[in-house]
């Protein structure tokens, strides 16, 4: 396993993703532990892409929630965050419920958005599947409005397919 990322942070976003994804694939190949892999992936995304907040919410069983499951905070990089999110709640819960990528240019205009940090202005959330059910979501938040686009969606979607190899 490589000990450091090789990323030229002066390159444009698409180029950085193209450099990053094979390195992430290298990081996770041969390591079966999910927490270790998610932790390294969040660190790699933070370092290469400079995201304000990036991390995972994992679907877990819960005796106290109405749906018997909820999203629980997993490995992340950035300011401390909400630990539990219900089915259909906020952008992450909507991604889980609708089983699709949520691209939110302005979080203040998203009904039910959960503000873990008032600095968050836009976000993208993507699902990873196991047995056709959402097993976890990747949440990326920006302190700028309208900071995510089809380029992020394209490459982060490729990343979710890599993540599905070990979850
Ligand atoms: N904003 C997210 C909650 C998670 S944090 O921002 C890290 C949401 O609405 O689901």
């Amino acid at each position: 396993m490589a000990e450091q990322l090789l990323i030229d942070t002066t390159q444009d976003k698409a180029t950085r993703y193209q450099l990053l994804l094979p390195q992430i694939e290298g990081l996770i190949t041969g390591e079966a532990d999910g927490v270790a892999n998610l932790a390294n992936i969040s660190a790699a995304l933070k370092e290469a892409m400079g995201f304000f907040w990036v991390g995972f919410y994992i679907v877990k069983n819960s005796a106290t929630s109405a749906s018997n499951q909820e999203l629980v905070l997993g490995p992340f990089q950035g300011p401390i965050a909400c630990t539990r999110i219900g089915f259909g709640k906020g952008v992450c819960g909507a991604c889980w419920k609708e089983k699709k990528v949520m691209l939110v240019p302005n979080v203040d205009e998203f009904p039910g958005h959960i503000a873990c940090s008032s600095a968050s202005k836009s976000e993208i959330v993507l699902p990873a599947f196991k047995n056709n059910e959402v097993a976890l979501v990747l949440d990326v938040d920006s302190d700028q409005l309208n900071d995510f686009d089809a380029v992020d969606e394209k490459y982060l979607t490729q990343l979710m397919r890599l993540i599905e190899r070990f979850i």
Side-chain angles (χ1 to χ4, degrees):
M1 184 195 112
E3 287 182 8
Q4 64 181 51
L5 290 179
L6 298 172
I7 297 289
D8 179 352
T9 51
T10 64
Q11 295 287 342
D12 64 40
K13 186 161 74 173
T15 306
R16 276 180 284 152
Y17 277 122
Q18 287 162 13
L19 292 168
L20 180 64
L21 284 173
Q23 295 183 71
I24 287 182
E25 190 172 10
L27 275 174
I28 63 174
T29 299
E31 176 51 67
D33 189 273
V35 171
N37 285 337
L38 296 178
N40 259 343
I41 291 170
S42 54
L45 287 169
K46 175 80 173 174
E47 184 179 335
M49 309 307 296
F51 294 138
F52 172 72
W53 194 96
V54 53
F56 297 94
Y57 281 93
I58 301 167
V59 175
K60 295 202 172 176
N61 293 330
S62 154
T64 52
S65 73
S67 62
N68 293 323
Q69 286 190 316
E70 57 192 340
L71 291 172
V72 181
L73 182 65
F76 72 97
Q77 297 269 313
I80 58 167
C82 325
T83 53
R84 290 172 188 269
I85 297 175
F87 187 66
K89 304 290 184 198
V91 185
C92 293
C95 173
W96 178 19
K97 184 176 181 183
E98 296 181 27
K99 298 184 171 183
K100 63 172 195 174
V101 177
M102 309 297 295
L103 214 167
V104 181
N106 181 351
V107 296
D108 288 337
E109 292 175 359
F110 187 91
H113 170 254
I114 300 165
C116 290
S117 161
S118 58
S120 257
K121 300 281 188 282
S122 58
E123 76 182 272
I124 184 169
V125 183
L126 304 96
F129 297 92
K130 188 174 181 178
N131 302 325
N132 296 318
E133 296 297 331
V134 176
L136 60 79
V137 303
L138 169 67
D139 180 14
V140 190
D141 292 7
S142 173
D143 57 3
Q144 309 291 315
L145 282 171
N146 205 12
D147 210 16
F148 302 105
D149 57 23
V151 172
D152 299 283
E153 180 169 352
K154 174 182 171 181
Y155 291 105
L156 292 175
T157 295
Q158 291 178 16
L159 173 64
M160 301 319 281
R161 302 295 83 81
L162 288 178
I163 288 170
E164 286 163 357
R165 293 182 187 175
F166 65 80
I167 56 174

